[in-house]
Amino acid sequence: MKKIKLGLIIFLILSMGALILNTNVGAADYVMKIGHSQSIKTPRHQACIYFKSLVEESTNGQIEVKIYPSNQLGTEAEMLESVKMGAIQATLGGQFEAASPKLLLYTMPFLFENIDQVHTIIRGPIGAQIAASAENNNIKILATGVAGGLRNFSNSQHPIKNPADMKGLKMRTPPIDSIIKTIEAIGGNPVSVPYAELYMALKTGVADGQENPFTNMVDKKLYEVQKYLTVVNYQFHPSPLYTSLSWYNSLPEDLQNKLVESAKKMMIYNDQLNKEATEESFAILKDKMEVNVLTDQQRKVFIKQAQKVYDYYIERGFFTESEITVIRNAVN
């Protein structure tokens, strides 16, 4: 009896040892680290989780996706640089000009009237051409989605119904050149304030107003320090999934195809989450602020003044007038 027990113990020990020695059996052939700047509560992070499940299932675990939210891998600029260098495999977010000047096409003022028009471009052949331009910087854009919805104005002074109402308003802007130039073009006074300091800047009068998607306004509780909301839908920001081109090219073709297919599904999910969040946020803002929705005629006045922003970028070779025309014809 003792011999049987001893034999069983030895067998168990040997079996456990075998399990320990074989912990790497079935490990992924490739690891894909994705960094982004937003919290785990955001549509961006939820979309990343969905992407992870799609990739790992479709590749039978050959690619393992690891997600690092909240700037764990650095700022957006640092993460994109790491992707270019191949230090990390992917990042999701802004830094359009650093990825490719062509991406600034998306941010031109009043180019899109609604998100359906945006989808026509980012999910079609024009979007594919714009994405391909990033390959010159060792970046493969797997797919492009929506970053928070179209952007609008708020302020604490008075309703904004025409460019004359922008005169004298100190409008907080992020360090994005196309936003700064647009605010200047329509008569506002841009004030550079970090996003983390936006609420206090508005509360203390450092800035009178700001521009953001509805979701950001609610997330930052800007309705506590802003009275007037203007629905102008003046700008769109894309959310590309940037991947290291050299890493992507190192993958077998079947895995490349599965990554692209997973990324496209991810962005459809991301855009649906953003649509729902936009609707919920607007309902909150309508309850807490005085809302002014511009008429088509009022919007045309802003559009006319913003033309000088297009002229600036076209003259400097970021893109051409014909490229803008192609986009406009595709959505109209």
Side-chain angles (χ1 to χ4, degrees):
M1 189 68 174
K2 289 181 179 179
K3 288 182 179 180
I4 293 174
K5 287 184 177 180
L6 180 61
L8 180 59
I9 290 170
I10 293 172
F11 171 77
L12 291 172
I13 292 172
L14 291 173
S15 298
M16 290 175 67
L19 286 172
I20 293 170
L21 290 171
N22 287 288
T23 52
N24 290 325
V25 172
D29 297 324
Y30 305 93
V31 174
M32 184 180 189
K33 293 182 180 178
I34 300 178
H36 69 82
S37 63
Q38 297 185 358
S39 76
I40 61 174
K41 298 178 182 179
T42 59
R44 179 172 294 177
H45 187 72
Q46 297 306 309
C48 283
I49 292 174
Y50 182 53
F51 178 71
K52 172 181 171 69
S53 67
L54 290 171
V55 170
E56 293 180 353
E57 181 178 355
S58 66
T59 65
N60 294 316
Q62 285 181 272
I63 299 177
E64 179 185 4
V65 177
K66 295 183 177 181
I67 308 166
Y68 298 85
S70 304
N71 294 118
Q72 292 180 33
L73 299 181
T75 64
E76 285 194 346
E78 290 168 343
M79 285 186 284
L80 184 64
E81 192 61 30
S82 293
V83 168
K84 288 182 181 181
M85 296 171 61
I88 63 173
Q89 289 71 46
T91 187
L92 186 64
Q95 297 299 306
F96 316 125
E97 186 177 348
S100 169
K102 291 291 184 188
L103 286 170
L104 288 176
L105 272 164
Y106 289 128
T107 71
M108 289 299 97
F110 304 102
L111 183 59
F112 303 104
E113 294 183 7
N114 54 60
I115 292 297
D116 288 338
Q117 291 185 351
V118 169
H119 289 157
T120 298
I121 301 303
I122 63 176
R123 297 177 184 175
I126 297 174
Q129 291 175 7
I130 294 172
S133 67
E135 294 185 14
N136 294 328
N137 287 323
N138 193 37
I139 294 170
K140 170 75 175 179
I141 296 178
L142 295 178
T144 300
V146 174
L150 297 175
R151 301 174 79 90
N152 295 284
F153 303 143
S154 73
N155 82 98
S156 60
Q157 302 301 308
H158 52 250
I160 297 173
K161 297 182 179 180
N162 56 65
D165 295 327
M166 297 288 291
K167 187 175 181 180
L169 282 182
K170 295 175 290 184
M171 296 291 288
R172 177 269 172 183
T173 63
I176 297 175
D177 203 43
S178 59
I179 292 181
I180 295 169
K181 284 185 167 47
T182 299
I183 295 298
E184 290 175 337
I186 60 178
N189 178 24
V191 178
S192 181
V193 175
Y195 186 61
E197 300 172 16
L198 174 57
Y199 183 95
M200 286 305 298
L202 295 171
K203 184 176 182 179
T204 59
V206 171
D208 300 312
Q210 58 86 51
E211 59 73 54
N212 256 303
F214 298 144
T215 49
N216 289 6
M217 295 185 198
V218 171
D219 182 55
K220 285 289 186 181
K221 297 183 179 180
L222 299 188
Y223 48 80
E224 295 180 349
V225 290
Q226 299 276 270
K227 183 176 180 180
Y228 304 98
L229 173 66
T230 300
V231 180
V232 61
N233 291 334
Y234 89 98
Q235 191 185 54
F236 162 70
H237 282 193
S239 181
L241 179 54
Y242 302 118
T243 307
S244 165
L245 180 61
S246 55
W247 177 78
Y248 175 83
N249 286 339
S250 73
L251 301 174
E253 185 177 354
D254 65 319
L255 295 186
Q256 292 178 351
N257 294 336
K258 287 172 181 176
L259 268 187
V260 171
E261 188 61 32
S262 295
K264 289 179 179 178
K265 292 178 180 178
M266 165 202 188
M267 288 308 183
I268 291 173
Y269 179 62
N270 169 82
D271 294 355
Q272 180 59 34
L273 290 178
N274 271 290
K275 180 177 182 292
E276 293 169 1
T278 295
E279 292 171 353
E280 292 169 1
S281 297
F282 186 44
I284 292 171
L285 295 172
K286 284 194 296 184
D287 186 53
K288 297 179 179 294
M289 302 175 71
E290 182 179 315
V291 179
N292 173 49
V293 180
L294 295 189
T295 65
D296 289 343
Q297 193 60 40
Q298 288 173 326
R299 199 166 179 267
K300 284 179 181 177
V301 180
F302 281 94
I303 292 171
K304 184 177 180 180
Q305 284 206 204
Q307 179 58 44
K308 63 187 71 173
V309 179
Y310 288 83
D311 296 340
Y312 173 88
Y313 286 104
I314 290 170
E315 287 169 5
R316 284 157 181 77
F318 284 82
F319 43 80
T320 65
E321 181 69 43
S322 63
E323 287 175 306
I324 293 294
T325 300
V326 166
I327 292 176
R328 286 177 169 156
N329 289 340
V331 300
N332 293 323

